[in-house]
Every structure is written in structure tokens, then in C-alpha cells.
């Protein structure tokens, strides 16, 4: 049986840093700033054949608009020839365009929808 307290190992003497001969180069850290991703707006284009009610339903279903804002966007599309439905990242905008175009094609409407970079 050991009844003695173990000895602590001796600490090594402090070492001084080596002298600088003046040839060293020190690099500064600069925080990297990443730019936010390019955003794209989904734009519906007016035509004379797609019913206004269908455009409102598409805006509600695929862009989560309430009835009032969907109606306002539909009127902008009707009066100005185009209207912004939403602003998304590139992939989300492309997905929204594909969903709208597929729904219009299945319903037999010539509704056109495009995405374009936000300026």
C-alpha cells in the first residue's frame, strides 16, 4: 500500500522566445465579407386569354398571397402588362416559374411567367 503523496514533477525553466532577425513577415487577418446572393423577381406577363380569376388563384396558391394582394397584383398585370409576384433566390424563382407555367399549361391557359435579376 502506498501511503506516500506522489511527488509533483519539476516544472521546466521558462524559455525566452527566439530573437527576431527582422526577416519575418506577419500577415494580418482580414474578415472575409461574402456578398448576399443575387435575388430574382418572378414576373407574370399579361395576355388576353387567361382569366383574371385564374391569375388570382395562382398568386394565392404558389406565392402565398391573400385575396386582396393577389387582386392588386392581378390588376397591375392587366393594366401594366406585367407584375412582380415575389422576390426569391435564383433556385426558388426558377421553381416558382416552373410551377406557374405547369399550372397554366394544365389549365389550358397561355399565361407566361419569367424570372429576372433584381436591379
Amino acid at each position: 500500500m502506498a501511503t506516500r503523496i506522489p511527488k509533483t514533477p519539476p516544472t521546466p525553466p521558462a524559455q525566452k522566445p527566439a530573437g527576431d532577425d527582422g526577416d519575418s513577415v506577419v500577415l494580418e487577418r482580414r474578415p472575409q465579407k461574402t456578398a448576399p446572393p443575387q435575388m430574382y423577381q418572378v414576373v407574370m406577363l399579361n395576355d388576353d386569354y387567361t382569366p383574371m380569376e385564374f391569375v388570382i388563384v395562382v398568386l394565392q396558391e404558389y406565392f402565398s398571397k391573400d385575396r386582396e394582394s393577389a387582386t392588386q397584383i392581378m390588376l397591375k398585370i392587366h393594366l401594366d402588362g406585367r407584375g412582380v409576384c415575389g422576390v426569391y433566390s435564383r433556385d426558388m424563382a426558377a421553381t416558382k416559374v416552373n410551377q406557374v407555367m405547369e399550372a397554366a399549361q394544365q389549365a389550358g391557359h397561355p399565361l407566361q411567367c419569367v424570372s429576372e435579376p433584381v436591379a
Side-chain angles (χ1 to χ4, degrees):
M1 281 202 310
T3 56
R4 292 186 198 166
I5 298 175
K7 295 181 183 180
T8 58
T11 57
Q15 295 178 352
K16 294 182 180 180
D20 186 13
D21 58 1
D23 292 336
S24 300
V25 176
V26 177
L27 297 177
E28 293 182 26
R29 276 195 184 183
R30 293 184 189 155
Q32 293 182 350
K33 296 181 182 177
T34 56
Q38 173 71 46
M39 300 302 281
Y40 287 77
Q41 58 188 9
V42 177
V43 179
M44 270 195 220
L45 306 175
N46 187 40
D47 64 72
D48 294 332
Y49 303 102
T50 304
M52 293 179 181
E53 188 61 34
F54 179 77
V55 174
I56 292 173
V57 169
V58 166
L59 288 166
Q60 289 177 317
E61 186 173 335
Y62 296 110
F63 298 97
S64 302
K65 303 294 183 186
D66 59 18
R67 182 83 177 170
E68 180 65 29
S69 59
T71 303
Q72 289 175 356
I73 294 170
M74 179 275 300
L75 288 172
K76 180 152 180 61
I77 294 167
H78 181 70
L79 297 174
D80 297 345
R82 57 186 283 140
V84 177
C85 305
V87 178
Y88 305 95
S89 66
R90 183 181 197 177
D91 294 338
M92 282 300 298
T95 300
K96 297 285 185 185
V97 168
N98 288 339
Q99 289 174 334
V100 170
M101 296 295 286
E102 190 173 306
Q105 185 178 11
Q106 286 179 354
H109 300 302
L111 180 65
Q112 294 294 308
C113 187
V114 296
S115 67
E116 53 192 35
V118 175

